[in-house]
Amino acid sequence: MTASLPPVLPDDRLASGIARLALHYRGRFSAETIQRLVIDSYERLAEHARVRTHLVVLAEHLATERLNALAHIEGAPGCGLPRVLFVCSHNAGRSQMAAALLAHRAGGHVVVSSAGTDPAAEVEPVVAQALIEAGVDLTDAFPKPLTDEVVQAADIVITMGCGDACPVLPGRRYLDWPVTDPEGAPIAVVRGIRDEIDAHITELLASLPST
């Protein structure tokens, strides 16, 4: 029987990231699984990218998040921390703010993810500005597509205006935060949205089991 050829990489620079992840997850995931997730992450991000300069790096970051989620689903020994996923349409405003604020305030006691059902090309600059004013760094954030692994790994899924496109899986705690979309809003309005989300974060943290 003729061996099947490995898939062609959409960008040759992905090979080094695949090698790094294969080493990191050695004994947990096969090289084929890692390569498949990296290629898929790259192609999903490329669909919405205006500039492809950083796609290789972002694909590795997204693949890492997906592999960690997959390890959690498969019962890998882990930290046992609650996992919260924020979902909105574009993952450029509300869900990014919520994830950043929760990660900042939880101090490492919650695993936080965010994603969009139709991700934008970049995070809204005014959203980043409002978070910086609150002492929260959004430098490394980027809109991410919603993937099965991240949804399945979540204990709590918080939807923020994605309507019927929001994921629904049994066994998860679902919350819906009806927060105004900050897209195109002036900074004064976005600050108010930030503070509204932060109030929801306070309630959420109070409801989580102490660690």
Side-chain angles (χ1 to χ4, degrees):
M1 179 180 290
T2 304
S4 59
L5 295 175
V8 176
L9 298 179
D11 188 311
D12 290 341
R13 295 173 298 170
L14 291 170
S16 58
I18 292 169
R20 276 191 296 272
L21 293 176
L23 182 62
H24 181 76
Y25 292 99
R26 184 171 52 190
R28 167 57 57 182
F29 297 116
S30 68
E32 290 78 14
T33 294
I34 290 169
Q35 181 163 281
R36 175 179 59 80
L37 279 176
V38 170
I39 292 174
D40 183 65
S41 295
Y42 180 93
E43 291 175 343
R44 286 177 183 241
L45 292 171
E47 287 180 21
H48 305 278
R50 293 197 192 106
V51 180
R52 300 197 170 202
T53 308
H54 305 294
L55 269 183
V56 169
V57 173
L58 298 183
E60 185 176 345
H61 289 335
L62 178 57
T64 299
E65 183 174 333
R66 296 173 69 182
L67 287 163
N68 288 338
L70 191 58
H72 180 77
I73 295 165
E74 295 183 354
C79 56
L81 299 177
R83 303 176 71 94
V84 178
L85 169 64
F86 294 97
V87 184
C88 70
S89 297
H90 303 310
N91 194 217
R94 290 166 290 188
S95 58
Q96 288 284 357
M97 281 199 285
L101 287 165
L102 177 56
H104 178 71
R105 295 188 54 195
H109 295 295
V110 179
V111 178
V112 186
S113 299
S114 70
T117 55
D118 182 23
E122 61 184 5
V123 175
E124 292 279 343
V126 71
V127 166
Q129 179 185 342
L131 286 172
I132 289 170
E133 291 176 359
V136 180
D137 185 10
L138 209 62
T139 303
D140 296 328
F142 62 99
K144 297 179 290 295
L146 188 64
T147 63
D148 291 342
E149 305 89 358
V150 175
V151 177
Q152 292 175 23
D155 300 305
I156 302 172
V157 178
I158 300 175
T159 57
M160 308 176 77
C162 48
D164 293 339
C166 287
V168 177
L169 290 176
R172 274 110 191 123
R173 176 184 171 194
Y174 281 88
L175 299 171
D176 184 67
W177 292 356
V179 179
T180 303
D181 189 347
E183 183 178 3
I187 184 62
V189 172
V190 177
R191 289 179 184 128
I193 295 171
R194 176 200 63 201
D195 295 343
E196 181 182 353
I197 291 173
D198 199 44
H200 283 297
I201 296 292
T202 298
E203 295 176 0
L204 176 66
L205 286 170
S207 73
L208 295 178
S210 57
T211 55

